[in-house]
Amino acid sequence: MKSKVYSIFVLCFLFFFSSDCRLMKRKKTVPATDFITETLELQGKTRSYHIHYPQNKAVVEKKLPLLFVLHGRLGTGRQIMEQSRFNDLADEEGFIVVYPDGYSRSWADGRGNTPADREKINDVLFLETVLQNLIRKGSVDPSRVFMVGHSNGGFMTQRMSVDRSSLFKGTASVAAQLSIAVLKNGEPSSPLSVALFSGTGDPLVPYYGGYVRDGGEIIGAEDTIDRWKKWNRCSDSVVVSEKDTSDDGTSLEIRTYSTCAKGTKVRLYKIKEGGHAWPGQKQNVPFVDMGKPTYELDAAKEVWEFFKSL
């Protein structure tokens, strides 16, 4: 009985944290005029994704970088659009952002327990197809495609990074690491720059590895970085920086490995005592301890600065 009650609390956490619930204090809603929604038919299902083109006349005629942003479990493309605020950054920096919707608010990241995994949804094919559609429109530079995901979306980003490394110039995962299931699929076909944002106090995704509360075994954040160092043939030369400027009970350690094959980089943002929330924001979730939010960094800005450096 105790385990059932605990499971209900975890489900409530995921719902309140990742959904469009108005009980959470969030930034103002992104206006419908700020993005375009498109659909495609795949595996007998209608899939959707939302595209934001930068509001900068100086770049509209150019082929631009493309950033995929993947929501967490029970989230949506519009939810992560509002949460991450990448649209504002895209207007400043001149890149296109696409926010796909997972099947039944989930991604088939390979761990086996999400609705998408249980229904054998081919999300690798879905994301590839979205990319091909956008490239055909003529505005995307295929050599500058990036992906970032949070939680379930971060695990999906790791799966895409391993299964389709040649599609991307760089990827980043927030509150997600490599899963045992993805590791069993093999290795990336080419070196790929990867960043990881992981909190040592994350109550849902254990920093040092183990079992995620919504299912599946994962390796630790530092083990994930070591695996990418091996795949990218990086040396052990590392640049370490630290930050502790906010009175929030967290601090930041950044480890960057830049001496890697084909100019790739591997970077770990170790958020000491940090929890599961998107870095730079706090969600008010009733009854559930999600760990400490961190204000030592703005995840969207850090993600894009990493990608710009590649």
Side-chain angles (χ1 to χ4, degrees):
M1 180 66 181
K2 186 177 180 180
S3 63
K4 289 183 179 179
V5 172
Y6 181 77
S7 297
I8 291 172
F9 276 129
V10 171
L11 182 60
C12 287
F13 167 83
L14 291 171
F15 177 78
F16 280 105
F17 178 68
S18 297
S19 74
D20 289 325
C21 181
R22 291 301 184 251
L23 291 180
M24 293 190 299
K25 182 179 179 181
R26 300 182 310 168
K27 301 294 182 180
K28 64 181 181 180
T29 302
V30 176
T33 55
D34 204 34
F35 60 92
I36 299 168
T37 299
E38 296 186 352
T39 61
L40 59 85
E41 297 296 321
L42 202 64
Q43 294 182 280
K45 303 183 188 306
T46 301
R47 304 296 301 272
S48 57
Y49 51 98
H50 314 281
I51 314 160
H52 173 79
Y53 291 96
Q55 304 301 304
N56 184 337
K57 294 181 180 178
V59 300
V60 292
E61 299 300 327
K62 300 177 182 178
K63 287 187 179 294
L64 302 176
L66 173 66
L67 174 63
F68 279 83
V69 182
L70 306 187
H71 61 76
R73 175 77 175 92
L74 290 176
T76 65
R78 290 191 63 174
Q79 168 266 322
I80 194 68
M81 183 190 304
E82 295 179 13
Q83 181 185 47
S84 66
R85 304 191 304 277
F86 268 114
N87 288 5
D88 293 338
L89 197 57
D91 292 342
E92 295 173 14
E93 298 285 341
F95 60 93
I96 301 167
V97 199
V98 59
Y99 305 89
D101 290 317
Y103 172 79
S104 192
R105 293 181 174 233
S106 72
W107 298 104
D109 62 37
R111 290 178 295 142
N113 279 11
T114 68
D117 261 330
R118 291 196 297 267
E119 291 288 327
K120 301 191 183 305
I121 298 298
N122 191 339
D123 273 328
V124 173
L125 177 60
F126 169 53
L127 295 171
E128 274 188 299
T129 304
V130 171
L131 175 58
Q132 292 164 0
N133 287 351
L134 293 174
I135 289 175
R136 276 197 296 268
K137 291 177 181 291
S139 298
V140 173
D141 179 353
S143 68
R144 292 186 292 166
V145 177
F146 307 97
M147 178 175 284
V148 61
H150 180 227
S151 194
N152 181 201
F155 286 114
M156 189 67 214
T157 298
Q158 286 293 307
R159 180 175 189 176
M160 292 296 293
S161 300
V162 174
D163 290 2
R164 296 294 185 271
S165 58
S166 62
L167 295 179
F168 305 102
K169 188 170 185 179
T171 66
S173 291
V174 180
Q177 291 126 230
L178 279 167
S179 67
I180 297 299
V182 165
L183 287 172
K184 289 179 179 179
N185 287 343
E187 300 182 359
S189 62
S190 58
L192 173 66
S193 292
V194 170
L196 209 66
F197 295 73
S198 296
T200 63
D202 189 330
L204 294 183
V205 178
Y207 180 85
Y208 295 102
Y211 287 88
V212 182
R213 290 186 180 178
D214 69 346
E217 186 178 4
I218 64 171
I219 65 173
E222 293 173 27
D223 291 335
T224 297
I225 290 297
D226 286 342
R227 193 63 61 104
W228 281 107
K229 281 177 57 188
K230 177 183 177 183
W231 288 335
N232 288 345
R233 303 191 295 280
C234 301
S235 74
D236 288 328
S237 177
V238 61
V239 175
V240 180
S241 62
E242 297 183 346
K243 184 181 178 185
D244 187 6
T245 58
S246 296
D247 185 19
D248 59 8
T250 74
S251 61
L252 182 65
E253 178 183 293
I254 306 173
R255 304 179 196 173
T256 303
Y257 301 87
S258 298
T259 310
C260 306
K262 296 187 177 181
T264 56
K265 296 180 181 181
V266 176
R267 179 175 292 173
L268 171 64
Y269 291 83
K270 182 178 182 179
I271 307 168
K272 297 178 182 179
E273 304 303 324
H276 194 74
W278 181 267
Q281 294 190 23
K282 179 181 179 180
Q283 282 77 28
N284 295 319
V285 184
F287 313 119
V288 181
D289 177 15
M290 70 181 78
K292 294 178 182 177
T294 183
Y295 301 101
E296 297 295 340
L297 73 163
D298 180 319
K301 290 182 179 178
E302 286 292 336
V303 164
W304 189 248
E305 285 300 317
F306 175 71
F307 291 155
K308 279 172 58 178
S309 73
L310 304 179

